[in-house]
Amino acid sequence: MPTTPATAAHSSSNGAAEEIMLELVDENGTTIGTAEKLAAHQPPGRLHRAFSVFLFDEQGRLLLQRRALGKYHSPGVWSNTCCGHPYPGEAPFAAAARRTHEELGISPSLLAEAGTVRYNHPDPASGLVEQEFNHLFVGMAQDRPDPDPEEVGEIAFVTAGELVARHAEAPFSAWFMTVLDAARPAIRELTGPSAGW
């Protein structure tokens, strides 16, 4: 884990599990403090910084991941390529690249900012709440993914049409359609009109 002044303050020297801290923000995305990860997701949720990554192959197919069954939040559901939270003081772009490599074993050959979206999505299965100011990124996945099984249960590359069919029959994360729709202009610019996004 990268060491920033905020994360260093919460590091454990006795081998105990380290608290994961998130960056709390206001409605404009300005940092206003920190909170422990699980506490920030307890109802009604506290608005915090997050990121979502959408990677595509050269055929314009989106790389999806099914979240590992051991995840505390939204286990076993399909979602975008990678999502998560920057450490306090960590740039969202750096966090997106770091987590994509940690979860999927790949480094995007291209990664571009695609705007932000703010949402409030309760997760009925866990009772947790996603109150997020989410930084969106789109890019290309040219290397073969090598997923970490503790993070990712399964992966799939899908066309726009295949995604529609899969979304109709399989469970997806509560935030998936919100972040996908917000990223669509940048996705279309990246993949071109023929990909159908």
Side-chain angles (χ1 to χ4, degrees):
M1 177 169 114
T3 301
T4 66
T7 56
H10 297 283
S11 295
S12 173
S13 59
N14 63 4
E18 176 180 317
E19 280 190 338
I20 297 174
M21 303 301 290
L22 305 185
E23 199 168 85
L24 300 179
V25 299
D26 65 15
E27 294 291 337
N28 298 313
T30 303
T31 303
I32 58 171
T34 60
E36 190 277 324
K37 184 177 180 180
L38 188 56
H41 290 88
Q42 298 287 347
R46 300 184 70 187
L47 185 59
H48 57 275
R49 195 176 307 285
F51 64 82
S52 288
V53 177
F54 296 86
L55 296 185
F56 295 82
D57 66 9
E58 292 178 350
Q59 289 77 49
R61 298 180 303 168
L62 172 61
L63 174 57
L64 295 176
Q65 69 155 278
R66 188 172 58 81
R67 294 165 62 86
L69 292 174
K71 302 282 275 186
Y72 81 97
H73 190 346
S74 302
V77 301
W78 288 93
S79 200
N80 49 294
T81 308
C82 180
C83 53
H85 310 94
Y87 296 121
E90 183 183 25
F93 183 92
R98 173 180 57 78
R99 283 303 290 165
T100 300
H101 188 267
E102 289 172 356
E103 291 188 9
L104 294 160
I106 57 174
S107 296
S109 57
L110 169 75
L111 194 62
E113 295 183 11
T116 59
V117 63
R118 193 269 195 243
Y119 52 79
N120 175 2
H121 285 302
D123 177 36
S126 68
L128 300 175
V129 178
E130 287 289 6
Q131 282 261 25
E132 293 189 331
F133 188 94
N134 198 307
H135 297 256
L136 307 171
F137 298 93
V138 300
M140 300 294 294
Q142 292 184 317
D143 297 329
R144 182 176 178 156
D146 181 20
D148 176 351
E150 291 190 8
E151 298 286 346
V152 180
E154 187 179 350
I155 61 169
F157 281 94
V158 297
T159 65
E162 289 166 347
L163 175 62
V164 171
R166 185 180 293 254
H167 192 264
E169 59 192 34
F172 273 71
S173 63
W175 61 86
F176 176 76
M177 287 308 298
T178 299
V179 293
L180 175 63
D181 287 343
R184 276 187 200 275
I187 290 170
R188 290 181 184 128
E189 187 175 333
L190 176 72
T191 61
S194 63
W197 293 102

